Amino acid sequence: FILLILLYRPIFLNRAFATISLSNLFNIKQKIVNDAAFTNYFYVHLYFINNKASIQNFANMLNVQVDDIKNYIKNIYGVSFDELIDKNRIEYFVQIAKDPKYNNLTIEALAEEVGYSSRSSFYKSFKRYHGGNPSDLIAAHNISI
């Protein structure tokens, strides 16, 4: 009876919020991502400002599979790895742009400081996650560039 329900379940059960997945039950080798290790490497050691940050490298650092990291980030943060990197880089940019220690740096230098290697990708991410232009933010905080 249960097998028939799983095989011929009503279509409304196939929606993303109600999907039935048994694959995780049979994946015994799967390692669970350690929250403390993730936070330590990603946030405390500022992994996201590494301009060569990749999901493969990060998975190797945590000694887990790439799919485990993808699933962990999707479940906890609701975004992809690249989106999490970009969002945190922009938040860090806003943070250091307010710091007087960085007053003498240009917008491009600050963008490099937070991990962007190209001006266009920085501006695109900034507009997506913060809105407006970085120069407007700096002008609002009376920081000379």
Side-chain angles (χ1 to χ4, degrees):
F1 179 72
I2 293 174
L3 182 60
L4 288 174
I5 289 173
L6 290 175
L7 291 175
Y8 299 104
R9 63 183 177 242
I11 206 158
F12 69 88
L13 290 178
N14 289 336
R15 295 194 181 116
F17 66 88
T19 56
I20 298 172
S21 174
L22 299 176
S23 63
N24 289 339
L25 294 176
F26 299 107
N27 193 358
I28 297 170
K29 292 183 181 179
Q30 179 180 9
K31 282 188 177 181
I32 297 174
V33 177
N34 183 331
D35 289 330
F38 181 89
T39 301
N40 184 39
Y41 285 115
F42 197 82
Y43 292 108
V44 176
H45 289 108
L46 303 174
Y47 180 79
F48 57 87
I49 67 170
N50 178 356
N51 65 355
K52 296 188 190 300
S54 73
I55 195 164
Q56 180 65 53
N57 184 26
F58 194 65
N60 290 342
M61 289 172 63
L62 295 178
N63 196 25
V64 295
Q65 298 295 318
V66 170
D67 289 339
D68 294 338
I69 291 287
K70 285 181 183 179
N71 292 334
Y72 175 81
I73 291 171
K74 194 66 163 172
N75 290 334
I76 300 297
Y77 300 100
V79 295
S80 70
F81 180 77
D82 292 333
E83 290 169 328
L84 186 64
I85 292 280
D86 279 344
K87 183 177 184 246
N88 282 283
R89 283 179 177 174
I90 296 304
E91 288 174 3
Y92 191 62
F93 174 85
V94 171
Q95 181 183 346
I96 68 171
K98 296 175 184 177
D99 188 346
K101 179 174 126 180
Y102 296 96
N103 279 356
N104 61 340
L105 295 179
T106 65
I107 292 173
E108 287 77 18
L110 288 172
E112 285 181 23
E113 189 74 26
V114 299
Y116 286 97
S117 54
S118 82
R119 178 184 171 132
S120 62
S121 63
F122 167 69
Y123 274 83
K124 181 179 175 183
S125 294
F126 189 87
K127 189 168 189 162
R128 180 178 191 193
Y129 293 106
H130 192 272
N133 290 318
S135 57
D136 296 337
L137 171 76
I138 291 175
H141 292 294
N142 295 325
I143 300 171
S144 61
I145 55 171

